[in-house]
């Protein structure tokens, strides 16, 4: 039988974690076979999905739910503390949590909820707003890349969690942790892993994804709580970061600064992931700040507009057509991308996060209310809602994921999988 694997701790020392894991129902051979048969287009292999935009290409999903919610496929416990969201690839769900004083990268069978393996990734981040890791693992081929709340970047073999390499970013580059813990999800571009160590001359860094060796470092920004995205402008691949003090684009090849913009940054926490579309980038932050649309090109960023009508806090907006949908602080808002004009606002399920699939928005409030909403600028139209049976005192800040007909929701120690595929 396929067993939980922990290369850092002896079997005797880690026996409690093995009991939490329980017996697996999947052999290594079956796991590999499953990964070969799943279409990547239906996976959710990193933070905010395939393209880091909060969108799934899946169709054939339920248009409405029963009052109690869609059918529960399974429920798993033992994730531990943390706000890490979910990545799904090859029939496996990946996330991070903290138990027994250690942060861990976790892998669950997406069909049964059985834990397949868990690997420690440094000491547990402890914070007054909730302990444990915040970032989401990134799946690239046969590797899993994860960044812990205390800045430990780790690369693991996807099938069994075997260690490939690890780097303590803060120690290596002389940085220091940010107030509520490192929250970034690593960005893979070609042969590189891009993250924000935050040290002097190493605000942003790129590592060889196979060996973990430093390829380049650039700038001296402290990290924000945002994760970078990839864009191509004027034929040049650039990574767009939203750090503690500004948004900026750097050339993927060598880290050269291409542009910067600080008006949308606040002095507390820049969290939302940038959105790139048709040569423009949308940026947003809360704490009374607002949002901006920038036109990129010619080696500069030109402001199209700045307003205070979309103030994303811990969640990011989703672009559907020409309309952005996102929580402006606690109010769900639909706003025209090109003009910044608000189409509608509604309190909806309450302040939370959302993703998109098959014409509908899936919203999760930080109190565990789940809503199904039409993605239309014509007005707020809610199809269904239900509530998780919560046991955690911390807010539900882990964002939803959809993959292969399943809606995955994480609430601290508990992971839920709901069947949202229409019957054929």
């Amino acid at each position: 039988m396929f067993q939980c694997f922990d290369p850092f701790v002896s079997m005797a020392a880690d026996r409690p974690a093995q009991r939490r894991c329980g017996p697996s129902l999947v052999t290594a051979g079956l796991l590999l076979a499953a990964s070969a048969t799943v279409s990547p287009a239906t996976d959710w292999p990193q933070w905010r999905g395939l393209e880091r935009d909060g969108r799934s290409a899946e169709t054939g999903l339920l248009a409405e739910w029963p009052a109690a919610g869609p059918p529960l496929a399974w429920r798993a416990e033992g994730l531990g503390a943390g706000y890490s969201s979910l990545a799904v690839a090859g029939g496996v769900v990946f996330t991070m949590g903290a138990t027994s004083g250690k942060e861990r990268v976790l892998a669950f069978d997406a069909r049964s909820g059985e834990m397949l393996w868990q690997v420690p990734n440094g000491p547990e981040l402890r914070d007054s707003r909730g302990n444990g890791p915040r970032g989401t693992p990134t799946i690239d081929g046969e590797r899993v890349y994860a960044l812990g709340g205390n800045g430990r970047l780790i690369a693991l073999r996807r099938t069994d969690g075997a260690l490939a390499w690890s780097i303590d970013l803060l120690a290596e580059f002389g940085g220091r942790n940010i107030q509520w813990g490192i929250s970034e999800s690593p960005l893979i571009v070609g042969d590189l892993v891009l993250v924000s160590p935050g040290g002097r001359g190493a605000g942003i860094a790129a590592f060889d994804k196979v060996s973990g060796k430093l390829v380049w470092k650039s700038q001296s920004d402290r990290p924000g709580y945002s994760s970078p995205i990839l864009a191509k402008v004027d034929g040049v691949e650039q990574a767009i970061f939203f750090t503690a003090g500004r948004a900026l684009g750097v050339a993927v090849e060598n880290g050269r600064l291409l542009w910067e913009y600080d008006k949308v940054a606040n002095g507390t926490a820049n969290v939302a992931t940038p959105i790139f579309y048709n040569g423009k980038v949308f940026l947003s932050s809360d704490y009374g700040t607002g949002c901006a649309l920038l036109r990129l090109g010619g080696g500069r960023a030109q402001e199209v507009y700045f307003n205070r009508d979309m103030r994303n806090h811990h969640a990011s907006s989703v672009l559907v057509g020409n309309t952005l949908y996102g929580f402006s602080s606690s109010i769900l808002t639909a706003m025209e991308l090109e003009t910044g004009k608000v189409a509608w606002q509604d309190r909806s399920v309450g302040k939370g996060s959302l993703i998109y699939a098959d014409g509908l928005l899936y919203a999760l409030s930080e109190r565990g209310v789940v809503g199904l909403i039409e993605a239309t600028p014509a007005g707020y139209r809610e199809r269904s809602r239900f509530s998780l049976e919560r046991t955690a005192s911390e807010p539900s800040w882990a964002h939803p994921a959809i993959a292969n007909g399943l809606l995955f929701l994480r609430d601290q120690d508990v992971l839920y999988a709901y069947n949202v595929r229409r019957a054929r």
Side-chain angles (χ1 to χ4, degrees):
M1 303 298 289
F2 192 93
Q3 300 296 318
C4 299
F5 180 64
D6 189 336
F8 296 92
V9 184
S10 70
M11 185 67 72
D14 201 39
R15 198 165 290 146
Q18 294 288 339
R19 283 200 298 271
R20 278 195 303 273
C21 180
S24 174
L25 300 179
V26 184
T27 66
L30 286 175
L31 181 61
L32 288 170
S35 70
T37 58
V38 175
S39 167
T42 60
D43 279 350
W44 191 274
Q46 60 179 329
W47 166 243
R48 302 200 76 215
L50 190 62
E51 302 294 336
R52 292 202 162 201
D53 58 4
R55 295 167 52 98
S56 169
E58 285 202 57
T59 57
L61 304 180
L62 292 172
E64 293 182 347
W65 300 331
L72 180 64
W74 51 261
R75 179 182 185 273
E77 298 181 1
L79 282 70
Y83 297 119
S84 294
S85 298
L86 310 159
V88 188
V92 181
V93 184
F94 301 89
T95 189
M96 294 189 288
T99 55
S100 304
K102 296 178 182 178
E103 294 193 358
R104 300 174 187 270
V105 183
L106 308 167
F108 294 83
D109 177 32
R111 294 154 297 182
S112 68
E114 291 288 337
M115 188 183 288
L116 301 175
W117 53 258
Q118 56 176 309
V119 174
N121 188 29
E124 176 182 11
L125 174 75
R126 301 195 66 82
D127 180 74
S128 61
R129 299 306 301 270
N131 299 332
R134 280 88 162 99
T136 301
T138 301
I139 318 306
D140 180 72
E142 293 305 309
R143 290 278 179 89
V144 179
Y145 300 87
L147 180 55
N150 282 308
R152 190 165 185 257
L153 177 63
I154 191 171
L156 305 171
R157 190 162 62 198
R158 181 167 64 90
T159 52
D160 58 11
L163 177 67
W165 52 263
S166 68
I167 304 169
D168 185 333
L169 295 177
L170 301 184
E172 183 75 17
F173 297 99
R176 58 189 176 93
N177 211 338
I178 50 182
Q179 182 173 356
W180 294 297
I182 299 294
S183 303
E184 185 178 15
S185 303
L187 174 66
I188 308 295
V189 183
D191 295 329
L192 302 178
V193 185
L194 277 65
V195 290
S196 305
R200 183 175 295 276
I204 297 168
F207 302 89
D208 181 271
K209 71 179 183 183
V210 175
S211 67
K213 292 182 178 179
L214 178 68
V215 177
W216 55 255
K217 57 183 181 177
S218 178
Q219 310 303 303
S220 296
D221 298 55
R222 292 199 72 202
Y225 299 85
S226 176
S227 293
I229 63 168
L230 176 66
K232 193 169 186 178
V233 180
D234 297 334
V236 176
E237 280 192 329
Q238 62 176 266
I240 299 175
F241 285 78
F242 196 6
T243 69
R246 58 178 175 165
L248 69 157
V250 297
V252 169
E253 181 183 18
N254 54 20
R256 176 173 58 92
L257 180 66
L258 300 173
W259 58 268
E260 61 180 323
Y261 178 83
D262 63 6
K263 189 174 177 179
V264 75
N266 62 63
T268 306
N270 302 318
V271 186
T273 301
I275 296 173
F276 178 77
Y277 176 73
N278 196 27
K280 303 182 184 71
V281 61
F282 176 81
L283 303 154
S284 179
S285 73
D286 203 352
Y287 300 94
T289 307
C291 64
L293 184 68
L294 309 179
R295 179 178 291 107
L296 305 181
R300 66 193 184 108
Q302 179 184 358
E303 182 183 286
V304 178
Y305 63 77
F306 174 90
N307 67 46
R308 304 186 190 280
D309 295 327
M310 184 71 84
R311 301 183 308 280
N312 294 152
H313 181 213
H314 71 83
S316 304
S317 295
V318 176
L319 178 63
V320 182
N322 189 43
T323 304
L324 288 159
Y325 301 91
F327 283 94
S328 182
S329 195
S330 60
I331 308 296
L332 185 58
T333 300
M335 189 175 80
E336 188 176 294
L337 172 68
E338 297 290 346
T339 65
K341 180 181 178 181
V342 172
W344 54 257
Q345 292 186 306
D346 196 277
R347 292 195 175 274
S348 184
V349 297
K351 182 180 180 179
S353 55
L354 78 163
I355 59 174
Y356 167 87
D358 201 12
L360 298 168
L361 302 170
Y362 293 71
L364 171 64
S365 85
E366 55 188 25
R367 296 180 179 274
V369 182
V370 189
L372 188 65
I373 302 147
E374 293 182 23
T376 173
Y380 181 79
R381 298 172 182 173
E382 184 176 306
R383 294 280 187 89
S384 308
R385 74 164 62 189
F386 73 100
S387 296
L388 300 176
E389 295 182 4
R390 303 195 68 224
T391 58
S393 58
E394 296 85 359
S396 289
W397 280 345
H399 294 195
I402 290 179
N404 305 295
L406 293 174
L407 169 65
F408 297 96
L409 302 172
R410 189 251 177 102
D411 189 22
Q412 290 290 322
D413 187 62
V414 183
L415 175 59
Y416 301 88
Y418 291 92
N419 185 357
V420 292
R421 181 173 285 151
R422 286 199 304 265
R424 296 177 179 175

